Amino acid sequence: MPSPNNSVGIVTPQHVRFDAPLPLRGGATLNGFELVYESYGTLNADKSNAILICHALSGTHHVAGVYSEQDKKPGWWDNMVGPGKPIDTERFFVLGVNNIGGCHGSTGPKSLNPQTGQPYGASFPVVTVDDWVQTQLMLADYLGIERFAAVVGGSLGGMQELQWSITHPRRVANALVIAAAPKLTAQNIAFNDVARQAILTDPDFHGGDYYQHGVVPRRGLRLARMLGHITYLSDDAMGSKFGRILRSGAFGFGFDVEFEIESYLRYQGDKFAESFDANTYLLMTKALDYFDPTHHHQCSLSEALKPATADFLVVSFTTDWRFAPERSREIVKALLDNNRQLSYAEITSSHGHDAFLMVDEYYHGVVRAYLERIPL
Amino acid sequence: MPSPNNSVGIVTPQHVRFDAPLPLRGGATLNGFELVYESYGTLNADKSNAILICHALSGTHHVAGVYSEQDKKPGWWDNMVGPGKPIDTERFFVLGVNNIGGCHGSTGPKSLNPQTGQPYGASFPVVTVDDWVQTQLMLADYLGIERFAAVVGGSLGGMQELQWSITHPRRVANALVIAAAPKLTAQNIAFNDVARQAILTDPDFHGGDYYQHGVVPRRGLRLARMLGHITYLSDDAMGSKFGRILRSGAFGFGFDVEFEIESYLRYQGDKFAESFDANTYLLMTKALDYFDPTHHHQCSLSEALKPATADFLVVSFTTDWRFAPERSREIVKALLDNNRQLSYAEITSSHGHDAFLMVDEYYHGVVRAYLERIPL
């Protein structure tokens, strides 16, 4: 029942529980877990039209559609996923899943640990991109999907796609790696560590067990998000949107909000601190830091990507300085070293890293054309 | 008594008190103030060989030399200032001064307010680059220096130099503006605001009056400095120095220090939080945000720099992304629009913004050659 604006319409999250113990890359074991996911479109008879969307740091399983007629806020990639949209739900069965360690329904730090009846909190183990891929694989098995028509991800989601293609090449026909990087640089890690330190040193963090204290480390999470936002936007985009514009038109010579950019960042920080879980933020940034498929290959990305047999579409954005086009080019080069089928698009955009979430005619056209060529 | 390594040797800070009320740009009045300064070299008979060094965010009056034979830490620009060094104390009388609002001896938030007998704390007024130039002018008058042979500044120090040249053109013969920008961008302001919010929301900040509570907002100041450091270094420099090197050689899957870059940043943050005053940090970042000589000139830097008659040397560094070469080029263009005498050097360096504090043969050679041509 697509709505007039090509939305997938009203959607309902689904839950699945896996009871077997899950050994994690970090050495710990999770005694069973739950995944929350959404799907859009219809799985065809031979289950060959499924596309998995992997989310980024603060993303969720809620990729497209709304939860009610009144819901003003559609899923985070609603401009990309829907009937007639680049990821076309009239052809594909599209799957969004919240990763474990998350805070939107899949088992994570704020979930109750069945063994204690208390939230996991600090006891929730560190999870990695490998672990997420493993749980996504279990979901695919549960749904009977032998091979994804495509696995798609932007930013940290793109890293999950890379891991899918390396670990389970036979289960990925096409790989869309958007605004990603093969691994973080020292500067990327540095920004993550400042964000983590903001949370870890917030007196309301209580070593990660703030749930029991009836507080949340709001200050730390707010700072983390403000900082994150600076890295998601380009200097240019910030300049044209906010420049040096003053809220009141004159300097206040104090420490209240003065520049529009301050107002914007503080608002984004406050909003995020209301809704996101600080322990999840810590876990997501760690997963980013740890991701490095070259780690066991003498830093050679070509060696690391040797098992990846999917057909690739790699996309980068010119003003993205978090994961600059150079980082995507590393992936492209490594794939070329392995003589893989690939397409690469470097999209001219002023929107920085966030461009992967925005509407851009060329970008959407490339994704659409790439997916349209997949025979079903 | 120069030491073997061309140091100015043991130096002693001097103090001067100005008792007249100082009206500030922000509307407040400071009821007298004290400046701490140092000088190196000898003022010549006609007082024509004085060079003023303006410090940046965390700089001080202690530009060169040491405080004792045992002192292992020379002044912050000891590689640049000394006998036979680029800013040659055998020719020039070099003056370093701590700005008001600072925390190293000049009147600032942690100074005692004579009217209350308590530290100024939150009641210390916001100061601007204009105000600093005014107080530096008062010091020049006190020392009988009618015209500086040169005013020199890097980063925020370069902004003070620009203001000197605009407001008091007849008192500056040569202007050295290094790694500076004519005004902050939205992204620059955004980073400053995250740093300020880290301090302002630290529960130990107590609205700026933490001195009375026997605490300091160490957490906030530490985060501010960690973040600052990321913007002072280039991505490249961080990459070659730290890369993804792990302290213990293996992932720890926890939140302790793992990557060398984390260790470095936390150490820098801790060290800074031990010694710097949080209120001063707030004031310095505000002075940066406010600085905009184009503000009353319809954003035209050419118009703003029209009064500046000094001979200029502008220097930028290729990997500086805090104040990129493009920002220095704006200054150069505006000076050219006014047909001013100028030299411009864009130094190839991997060290980012911090390059202005480091030894580089070409950089030091340019400064040396520029100053050597000044007749005395």
Side-chain angles (χ1 to χ4, degrees):
Chain A
M1 188 179 61
S3 73
N5 64 347
N6 291 347
S7 166
V8 296
I10 294 173
V11 296
T12 310
Q14 296 172 73
H15 295 258
V16 55
R17 179 155 184 90
F18 299 93
D19 285 318
L22 178 76
L24 298 167
R25 167 84 175 74
T29 296
L30 205 54
N31 287 315
F33 65 95
E34 197 168 305
L35 291 181
V36 58
Y37 66 99
E38 289 181 10
S39 66
Y40 325 105
T42 309
L43 193 58
N44 61 10
D46 62 357
K47 301 189 174 183
S48 66
N49 71 333
I51 290 183
L52 173 67
I53 311 280
C54 304
H55 70 71
L57 202 152
S58 60
T60 70
H61 55 291
H62 185 38
V63 176
V66 289
Y67 287 145
S68 70
E69 296 285 2
Q70 292 72 42
D71 187 355
K72 296 265 185 280
K73 198 167 170 271
W76 59 267
W77 223 5
D78 195 76
N79 62 42
M80 181 68 90
V81 176
K85 291 183 181 172
I87 300 178
D88 188 352
T89 52
E90 288 180 335
R91 290 190 75 221
F92 294 105
F93 172 76
V94 180
L95 202 55
V97 56
N98 185 216
N99 286 328
I100 57 168
C103 55
H104 290 89
S106 291
T107 301
K110 72 174 187 180
S111 308
L112 293 186
N113 180 345
Q115 295 184 310
T116 64
Q118 295 290 321
Y120 281 98
S123 74
F124 196 88
V126 168
V127 289
T128 63
V129 169
D130 301 53
D131 298 323
W132 290 335
V133 169
Q134 177 58 29
T135 59
Q136 291 160 5
L137 182 80
M138 290 165 78
L139 178 63
D141 287 345
Y142 166 79
L143 296 171
I145 298 162
E146 183 53 38
R147 191 172 192 230
F148 282 108
V151 175
V152 184
S155 192
L156 175 55
M159 291 169 166
Q160 292 161 60
E161 199 309 301
L162 284 175
Q163 194 64 55
W164 260 102
S165 296
I166 292 169
T167 320
H168 307 291
R170 292 203 281 192
R171 305 197 65 164
V172 185
N174 296 277
L176 285 81
V177 179
I178 303 172
K183 59 186 172 188
L184 297 198
T185 63
Q187 190 189 68
N188 294 147
I189 296 171
F191 277 121
N192 279 347
D193 199 48
V194 176
R196 280 193 295 266
Q197 290 296 308
I199 292 168
L200 292 166
T201 63
D202 185 328
D204 285 336
F205 182 65
H206 294 290
D209 293 321
Y210 45 88
Y211 315 99
Q212 284 94 314
H213 293 79
V215 292
V216 293
R218 198 180 304 273
R219 287 173 293 244
L221 195 52
R222 175 175 179 268
L223 290 170
R225 184 62 164 183
M226 290 176 73
L227 178 53
H229 254 281
I230 301 178
T231 69
Y232 304 151
L233 302 178
S234 70
D235 193 9
D236 279 0
M238 264 195 189
S240 32
K241 192 165 177 190
F242 305 105
R244 296 181 51 86
I245 299 167
L246 294 164
R247 288 210 83 191
S248 73
F251 291 152
F253 299 106
F255 296 101
D256 291 338
V257 161
E258 293 198 81
F259 292 93
E260 285 289 355
I261 180 63
E262 296 174 314
S263 169
Y264 171 80
L265 280 186
R266 295 186 200 180
Y267 173 77
Q268 293 295 338
D270 287 336
K271 201 174 63 167
F272 191 71
E274 292 293 325
S275 61
F276 207 81
D277 181 61
N279 279 320
T280 290
Y281 200 87
L282 293 175
L283 291 173
M284 295 284 157
T285 61
K286 274 310 227 187
L288 273 163
D289 287 5
Y290 287 140
F291 182 71
D292 179 6
T294 75
H295 194 63
H296 295 295
H297 298 279
Q298 289 80 44
C299 290
S300 163
L301 188 60
S302 304
E303 282 299 315
L305 284 177
K306 198 164 268 179
T309 51
D311 189 303
F312 274 80
L313 170 63
V314 180
V315 180
S316 69
F317 300 91
T318 49
T319 54
D320 183 352
W321 63 281
R322 185 181 177 84
F323 297 146
E326 288 70 28
R327 314 306 314 281
S328 285
R329 289 174 182 216
E330 292 173 38
I331 297 168
V332 170
K333 276 183 178 167
L335 291 168
L336 290 174
D337 285 343
N338 288 297
N339 285 314
R340 295 291 172 254
Q341 287 287 331
L342 77 92
S343 307
Y344 174 54
E346 206 163 289
I347 310 288
T348 301
S349 164
S350 64
H351 294 293
H353 188 60
D354 265 359
F356 89 87
L357 296 166
M358 298 187 182
V359 175
D360 174 280
E361 205 174 337
Y362 178 39
Y363 166 41
H364 276 201
V366 163
V367 172
R368 177 189 300 277
Y370 182 81
L371 293 178
E372 274 176 355
R373 70 175 237 305
I374 298 176
L376 290 178
Chain B
M1 190 180 56
S3 73
N5 65 345
N6 291 346
S7 165
V8 298
I10 294 172
V11 297
T12 308
Q14 297 173 72
H15 295 258
V16 54
R17 179 154 185 92
F18 298 93
D19 285 318
L22 178 76
L24 298 167
R25 169 86 175 72
T29 296
L30 205 55
N31 287 315
F33 65 95
E34 195 167 308
L35 291 182
V36 58
Y37 66 98
E38 289 181 11
S39 66
Y40 324 104
T42 308
L43 192 58
N44 61 10
D46 62 357
K47 301 187 173 182
S48 66
N49 71 333
I51 291 182
L52 174 67
I53 311 279
C54 303
H55 70 72
L57 202 153
S58 61
T60 70
H61 56 290
H62 186 39
V63 175
V66 289
Y67 287 145
S68 70
E69 296 285 359
Q70 291 72 42
D71 188 354
K72 295 266 184 276
K73 200 169 169 268
W76 58 269
W77 223 4
D78 194 75
N79 62 40
M80 181 68 92
V81 176
K85 290 183 182 172
I87 300 179
D88 188 351
T89 52
E90 289 182 334
R91 289 190 77 219
F92 294 106
F93 172 77
V94 180
L95 203 55
V97 55
N98 184 216
N99 286 329
I100 58 168
C103 55
H104 289 90
S106 291
T107 301
K110 72 173 186 180
S111 308
L112 292 185
N113 179 343
Q115 295 184 311
T116 65
Q118 295 290 319
Y120 281 98
S123 73
F124 196 89
V126 167
V127 288
T128 64
V129 169
D130 301 53
D131 298 324
W132 289 335
V133 169
Q134 177 59 29
T135 58
Q136 290 160 5
L137 182 80
M138 290 165 78
L139 178 63
D141 287 345
Y142 166 78
L143 296 172
I145 298 162
E146 181 54 37
R147 190 172 192 231
F148 282 108
V151 174
V152 184
S155 192
L156 175 55
M159 293 169 163
Q160 292 162 58
E161 200 308 302
L162 284 175
Q163 194 64 54
W164 260 103
S165 296
I166 293 168
T167 320
H168 307 290
R170 291 204 281 194
R171 305 198 63 165
V172 185
N174 294 277
L176 285 81
V177 179
I178 303 170
K183 59 187 172 187
L184 296 199
T185 62
Q187 190 190 70
N188 293 147
I189 296 170
F191 277 121
N192 279 347
D193 199 48
V194 176
R196 280 193 295 266
Q197 290 297 308
I199 292 169
L200 292 165
T201 63
D202 185 328
D204 286 335
F205 182 65
H206 294 288
D209 293 321
Y210 44 88
Y211 315 99
Q212 283 94 316
H213 293 78
V215 292
V216 292
R218 198 180 304 273
R219 288 173 293 245
L221 194 51
R222 176 175 177 268
L223 290 170
R225 184 61 164 185
M226 290 176 73
L227 178 53
H229 254 281
I230 301 177
T231 69
Y232 304 151
L233 301 178
S234 70
D235 193 7
D236 279 359
M238 264 195 190
S240 31
K241 194 166 175 189
F242 304 106
R244 295 179 53 83
I245 299 166
L246 295 163
R247 287 210 86 192
S248 74
F251 291 152
F253 298 106
F255 296 101
D256 292 337
V257 160
E258 293 199 81
F259 293 92
E260 285 290 354
I261 180 64
E262 296 175 315
S263 170
Y264 171 81
L265 280 185
R266 294 185 199 179
Y267 172 77
Q268 293 294 337
D270 287 336
K271 201 174 63 168
F272 191 71
E274 291 293 324
S275 61
F276 208 82
D277 181 62
N279 279 320
T280 290
Y281 200 88
L282 293 174
L283 291 172
M284 295 284 156
T285 60
K286 275 310 227 186
L288 272 163
D289 287 5
Y290 287 140
F291 183 71
D292 180 5
T294 75
H295 194 63
H296 295 294
H297 298 278
Q298 288 81 45
C299 290
S300 164
L301 188 59
S302 303
E303 282 299 315
L305 284 178
K306 197 164 269 179
T309 51
D311 188 301
F312 274 80
L313 170 63
V314 180
V315 179
S316 70
F317 300 90
T318 49
T319 54
D320 183 353
W321 63 281
R322 185 182 178 86
F323 297 146
E326 289 70 28
R327 314 306 314 283
S328 284
R329 289 173 182 217
E330 292 174 37
I331 298 169
V332 170
K333 276 183 177 165
L335 291 169
L336 290 174
D337 285 344
N338 288 297
N339 284 314
R340 295 291 173 254
Q341 286 287 330
L342 77 92
S343 307
Y344 174 54
E346 208 162 287
I347 311 288
T348 301
S349 165
S350 64
H351 294 292
H353 188 60
D354 265 359
F356 89 87
L357 296 167
M358 296 185 183
V359 175
D360 174 279
E361 205 175 337
Y362 178 39
Y363 166 40
H364 276 200
V366 164
V367 172
R368 178 189 300 276
Y370 183 81
L371 293 177
E372 274 176 354
R373 67 175 240 304
I374 299 175
L376 292 178

